[in-house]
Structure formats: structure tokens, C-alpha cells
Amino acid sequence: MLKGLSRTISGAAIAGVLLSSAVALAAADTGKEPGRALAAKIGVPWPAVIAHRGASFNAPEETVPSYTLARELGADYLEMDIQRTKDGVLIALHDNTLERTTNIAEVYPQRAKDPLNTFTLEEIKRLDAGSWFNKAYPDRARATYAGLKILTLDEVIDIAERGKNKPGLYIETKVPAQFPGIEEDLKKKLDQRGWLTQRPAAEKGYVNVAHMPGRVVLQTFEKPSLELLQKSMPDTPKVLLLWLGDGSIETASGKTFKDSGAKDKASFYASQQVKSKEEFAAWMDWAKAHGAVGTGPSAALKNGGDQSYSDLVQPWMNKMAHDRGMIVHPYTVDDAVDFKAISEQGVDGFFTNRASELLKFYGRPSKESMDSILKRSGF
Ligand code: G3P
Ligand code: CA
């Protein structure tokens, strides 16, 4: 299924410390922190700041500045979507085509809609993966973003390893049915780079996730891929991403957005409910039985937008995960109002395009500004 491909990122406190303290207190009062102990047992940070495609609100997704910024801000994880080129190289790219995030229409006009796996790495490296961002988000544009390249997994790992902060890698197998054997390729690469065994500790005071057992978290929407990941890397934490409808978790309505006639996706998704508690429990049981240590559910956001999906982070849902020993990392949440509301439902971190904002919310803001980090990193 291509569930992940229908989602694209969209744009967007001083009260961060207060908010996070309030959330922590409320959670402690009501015994809503089972995820903290589970995370400690699994060896992942709690609560987790997962930089979704890097710091992708502020720099072109899955590029050098996006991942460098996330690392320097202090994110726990660099999140990426892994696919494979025609000549067998693992690269970090969300969409299955190159249209949205590169200038392919200019470079290979006849092939603009072709899937990624019909291009060699050398062909892909000719594309500009930064200028689209400057056009789409002029208020966040930087001249230095023009001409950025799509990264190989090796290059993302280089970024993770290069700074004083040592973030972990949160890796999704994207459209895995299109890349037979990608789970084993991933294992070989992670093994070769020394990420499947313990890594050195960071200096005191720096992000140290790469030293923890959960230095790599593997994630997928696809059950067959989870099974293959479990077979290849049984000791590496895995997360099953959750989606309501379209062949995944069954909805009560049985409707899809396409045939619903609805105009606004966010409103449609928010109106959809899980068919039954038993249906949700069956997914939790399947995930647990197939090696998942956590789930990655969608969330409905207060202000809607194209990242707002069905609400799969209701307290009873999070409890079902926790009761089975699994943590909960919802996607993709960028605003303080949602960090607060969803945290109170009992989740264990977030995928976010705005690592800077989530770090503020959790009371550990970056001391350095994003502008300063980008400038000293050459951007
Ligand atoms: O991997 C979690 C989240 O990234 C899933 O959505 O489509 O952005 O990969 P997507
Ligand atoms: Ca992803």
C-alpha cells in the first residue's frame, strides 16, 4: 500500500517549560505515564523528539541542512524514509516519485512521473532537491538551499555521526513491496556502519541516543515489511505505523476519502472512527506478536491542515498499546496546542517537522538559534 505517499508536510513558546511541567504533573497525578517505564526498558528516550525528515519545517526535507539542523538543535532521532535506486543504493526520500521535491520536470521531463526505482543514483544526484522549498516557503527560503542533493542512507548516517550530539536513526521502509529485499539491504548497511551494536557514548551534556539500545528504530506501515524487519534485525526496536481505512485498520463507516465526496481531507479523516475496540485490539496484538515495541498512530490536529488525519491517539487506544508493553509515537505534530492536548492523552513523544518547538515544549530548548546553526553549517 502507498498510504504514506498521500501525506505531505505543511507549515506550522516561551510557555514550553511550563506546559511540559504541567503535562508531567497531570500525567503523574493520574498515573498516565506507563510509557516512560516502557521506553526505559526498551532503551529509547522518553519523551522522544523525532525529527520528521529532519528539521523539515525550516529546511528542505531529508537534505543536509534539514538533518544537520535537527542534530544540532538536539533532536533525539533523525527520521527518514528509505527507498532504493535502480542500481541498488539506499536513499532517503519520502515520495515514490521525484516531482514534488526536485526539479525533475526540467532535468528529465519525459520521466517526471516515473517511480524512484527507475533512476540510478548518478541520475538522482543531478537533481536539485532544495529549490522547491524556496518556492513553496519563501518566508523560510535560503539561497544556499538551491542545488541541494538527495541523500543516500550512508550520507544521513554521516550526518548523525558527525556532531557532538549523537541522535538515533528512525528509519521507515517506504513502499517496501516495490523494493524486494530492502529490509536485508538495510540490515547490511546498518551492520557495516556499526549501528547494530553498541556505539560510543556522547560527551556529557549532549544527545546520547546513538549509545542507547534504541539507537535505531525501524518503522513501517506494511505488515509484511515488519515481519521481514523482525526476521533480519530481531534485536532492533520496531514500530508499526497505524492508518485508519484504505485497507489498514477498518473504519466504522467503510468509506474512503475518494468515494466520500468530502472536500476537506482533514475534516473527513477526523470524522472517521475505528470500526470497534476489538478491531483496534487485533492490530495491537498483531504488532506485538510480530516484534513491534511501539506504534506510530496518526493524529487529528486542532487546526486541521494536510497533516491532520484520524484520531488514533485516544486514551483507550494508548492504553491498549501500553498494556501490551508498547510505546506510542504519533505523527506528525508541529504545534504546541497539539503537543499539549495529545501528550495529555498519554503518548511517548512525537514525529515533528518542528523539532525546535517540541524541544521547547519538553523544556529542553536549543540554546543556539536556528539561524546561527544554519549559518555556521554553511547555510
Ligand atoms: O514515519 C512516520 C510518518 O513519517 C509517517 O508518515 O508519510 O510522513 O512517512 P510519512
Ligand atoms: Ca516517514
Side-chain angles (χ1 to χ4, degrees):
M1 258 173 295
L2 305 183
K3 290 182 280 294
L5 299 181
S6 64
R7 289 181 294 283
T8 56
I9 56 170
S10 68
I14 187 139
V17 176
L18 295 174
L19 281 172
S20 62
S21 305
V23 169
L25 280 174
D29 283 352
T30 52
K32 279 186 185 168
E33 275 193 8
R36 183 197 284 259
L38 291 171
K41 200 169 153 201
I42 296 160
V44 303
W46 191 97
V49 175
I50 305 159
H52 182 247
R53 314 182 200 172
S56 57
F57 183 86
N58 298 94
E61 62 189 64
E62 313 207 27
T63 63
V64 172
S66 177
Y67 286 125
T68 305
L69 185 55
R71 183 196 70 205
E72 293 301 290
L73 285 167
D76 294 311
Y77 286 103
L78 308 185
E79 194 266 352
M80 74 207 78
D81 307 286
I82 290 298
Q83 302 188 52
R84 192 173 60 203
T85 64
K86 187 179 178 183
D87 48 339
V89 182
L90 298 183
I91 62 163
L93 185 75
H94 178 268
D95 297 7
N96 192 227
T97 66
L98 294 148
E99 273 186 297
R100 183 177 62 87
T101 58
T102 76
N103 62 339
I104 190 161
E106 293 160 27
V107 182
Y108 307 109
Q110 308 301 322
R111 303 168 67 192
K113 293 184 186 306
D114 291 357
L116 178 278
N117 62 357
T118 61
F119 292 84
T120 64
L121 181 64
E122 194 269 334
E123 287 172 330
I124 285 167
K125 285 286 189 182
R126 279 190 226 152
L127 301 172
D128 171 352
S131 293
W132 72 273
F133 181 92
N134 288 348
K135 284 184 207 127
Y137 308 111
D139 53 324
R140 288 167 249 156
R142 286 179 176 253
T144 49
Y145 290 165
L148 291 172
K149 299 299 173 198
I150 288 174
L151 300 175
T152 63
L153 172 56
D154 260 321
E155 289 166 332
V156 181
I157 293 175
D158 289 342
I159 296 169
E161 293 178 353
R162 201 169 286 145
K164 289 205 163 191
N165 283 332
K166 302 292 182 192
L169 307 171
Y170 211 116
I171 305 176
E172 179 179 354
T173 52
K174 190 59 97 186
V175 281
Q178 222 172 74
F179 305 104
I182 197 165
E183 295 82 4
E184 193 58 25
D185 291 351
L186 185 54
K187 179 211 170 152
K188 282 183 193 141
K189 178 55 67 185
L190 291 171
D191 195 25
Q192 179 201 0
R193 293 296 303 255
W195 279 75
L196 295 183
T197 47
Q198 191 168 41
R199 299 185 58 75
E203 284 175 42
K204 199 166 182 312
Y206 290 91
V207 172
N208 193 29
V209 178
H211 182 63
M212 298 170 74
R215 68 190 77 84
V216 174
V217 179
L218 304 167
Q219 41 153 349
T220 182
F221 281 102
E222 309 301 331
K223 287 178 170 178
S225 192
L226 183 68
E227 291 179 290
L228 292 167
L229 290 168
Q230 175 67 358
K231 199 171 159 207
S232 290
M233 291 169 272
D235 300 328
T236 301
K238 284 158 220 85
V239 159
L240 182 64
L241 300 168
L242 303 178
W243 181 252
L244 185 60
D246 304 313
S248 292
I249 301 175
E250 265 194 75
T251 58
S253 73
K255 285 184 193 157
T256 63
F257 174 67
K258 240 182 174 178
D259 41 59
S260 69
K263 294 252 164 3
D264 179 56
K265 272 193 185 179
S267 309
F268 171 77
Y269 289 135
S271 73
Q272 297 304 296
Q273 300 298 326
V274 174
K275 186 181 173 191
S276 63
K277 288 197 172 179
E278 290 71 26
E279 166 70 3
F280 196 79
W283 277 75
M284 296 295 101
D285 289 338
W286 191 95
K288 179 72 182 173
H290 292 82
V293 301
T295 64
S298 62
L301 307 178
K302 184 166 190 301
N303 297 318
D306 59 10
Q307 291 183 161
S308 186
Y309 307 120
S310 299
D311 181 1
L312 295 180
V313 284
Q314 296 168 48
W316 66 266
M317 296 170 166
N318 301 330
K319 184 173 184 313
M320 272 193 187
H322 289 150
D323 284 351
R324 287 160 176 76
M326 295 190 291
I327 53 173
V328 180
H329 289 159
Y331 62 90
T332 302
V333 183
D334 289 348
D335 292 332
V337 65
D338 295 309
F339 296 149
K340 182 173 187 299
I342 298 170
S343 293
E344 286 170 352
Q345 313 258 70
V347 302
D348 305 308
F350 292 97
F351 291 87
T352 182
N353 301 316
R354 304 191 76 175
S356 58
E357 300 309 299
L358 184 54
L359 286 162
K360 280 183 206 165
F361 175 75
Y362 284 148
R364 46 187 178 112
S366 167
K367 291 190 186 82
E368 188 178 3
S369 73
M370 285 192 273
D371 188 55
S372 168
I373 293 170
L374 285 166
K375 277 189 180 143
R376 72 171 163 77
S377 309
F379 297 97

